Amino acid sequence: MSFKAAGFKHDAQFARVRLSKGRNLKEYRSDFILCEYQTRPDVDRTEWDIQQVRAVYKRDEWRLQFVCRTTIDPDPPGDGVAGVDLGICNFAAVSFGGESVLYPGGSLKEDEYYFTKKKAKCDNSSSRKATRLDRKRTGRRTHFLHALSKAIVTECVERGVGTLVVGDLGGIREGDESGESRNWGDHGNLDLHGWAFDRFTTLLDYKAESEGIDVELVSERDTSKSCSACGQTDKTQRVERGLYVCEKCDTVANADVNGAENIRQKVLLSLVTDGGDRDNGWLAQPSVCLFDSESGAFVPREQVTS
Ligand SMILES: [Zn+2]
């Protein structure tokens, strides 16, 4: 059975589709079937351009097939390179080189706190109420990550970025080379962020690809300890109140932006060797985009100096 454009209404947010039963029924009768469906976790429903919905009866169950229009292999928006540094406080810091944007993870943390507290009040962690809370929490986390990856890819498209370089946290979660692990806060944070970073990278990769942007993972080694303006690496470099201060060239940078710019430069290779007399003020003055739960998207906040 197939439903053309006029015969269905898709609700991406709640993973539902309304299938029309036709126009012959009398007005007081319900003339549609509301179907709830599930997809693989990495599928972004909001990107679907559905042309047709098919209902297929197979192995004792009804399956929905969505026929979507999609663009294959689009040209990259440009040849720019952007770097992404993932972290706890700022979930993502993005450097475009000459400009930077921070995406704080506050609302993700607030959710986590809220749901952990709510769940603790459940008598039984496998009760229906607890299960419902878990599902809701996962849904909200997922939405946050979708909105974030979408916001970053949109910024990249606007700036003609063709390559997005992401710091790979894989090894760091186990503790980095020097044996010291990062301060991940309590164990709950570790669980959440391990999950969220993997998931986020997958979503970012998928959304970037659909815009022709290449995503590269690079090691995060030394990206937080080196000065992105002069290249000086200081193992004892202390980051204070989110600022990286270089003792050699006096550059002051937002620590996460400095990390993101170092990650970006890993792919730029020898492209930039312009003597270091550039204006580095942007390193200390990122724009900030905050998650707005009302619109479900990231919105820019005025320029701040952190
Ligand atoms: Zn420096």
Side-chain angles (χ1 to χ4, degrees), residues 11-12 25 49 56-57 62 79 102-103 157 219-220 237 294:
D11 180 348
L25 295 166
D49 179 11
V56 183
Y57 192 67
W62 283 95
D79 53 13
L102 297 179
Y103 298 89
V157 170
S219 159
E220 281 223 328
Q237 181 64 50
E294 242 160 70

Side-chain angles (χ1 to χ4, degrees), residues 227-232 244 246-251:
C227 170
S228 61
C230 74
Q232 166 85 356
Y244 179 99
C246 179
E247 281 163 12
K248 190 180 169 198
C249 74
D250 289 335
T251 290

